[in-house]
Amino acid sequence: STIWAQAALRFHDVPFSSAIADEAACRIEGFDPQGLSGTAWALAQLGLESAAFFGALAEAIVRRSAELGAQEISNIAWACGKLRHQHSAMIDALSSRGIEI
């Protein structure tokens, strides 16, 4: 994804990254687990706190946690920790799924 490439290259253009994060929030239901976790990782790597994306991510994770594998759980948990994003229902869903697998 574009945002992942920006993070990997350490290229941070705040307006461009913010626009991508906002669009990702609107399209989050179409993301597979790797897309969810990769986008969360990239935004955290860039230090971009997108309330729209992380709010949508939290809602998606609560509904779709059964789809996540260990890598996705790890990436999402790391991203939320790095940005100090707190959503108790999402953290509970990630924790429960981590215990299951």
Side-chain angles (χ1 to χ4, degrees):
S1 75
T2 303
I3 197 73
W4 185 92
Q6 280 188 277
L9 295 171
R10 295 188 174 111
F11 172 78
H12 189 36
D13 178 310
V14 175
F16 185 65
S17 300
S18 295
I20 291 172
D22 290 345
E23 189 63 26
C26 293
R27 298 174 182 243
I28 204 160
E29 290 305 318
F31 284 33
D32 64 9
Q34 183 179 7
L36 293 171
S37 68
T39 304
W41 175 87
L43 292 173
Q45 189 71 13
L46 293 169
L48 184 64
E49 296 183 32
S50 169
F53 176 78
F54 282 97
L57 176 68
E59 292 174 13
I61 295 303
V62 168
R63 287 190 311 277
R64 300 173 51 193
S65 63
E67 298 174 28
L68 302 175
Q71 186 67 50
E72 290 88 16
I73 292 168
S74 174
N75 286 349
I76 294 166
W78 176 85
C80 290
K82 180 163 174 66
L83 295 175
R84 296 181 181 1
H85 176 76
Q86 297 177 5
H87 189 284
S88 60
M90 179 179 64
I91 300 302
D92 289 346
L94 290 172
S95 298
S96 295
R97 179 62 181 150
I99 292 168
E100 290 173 3
I101 56 175

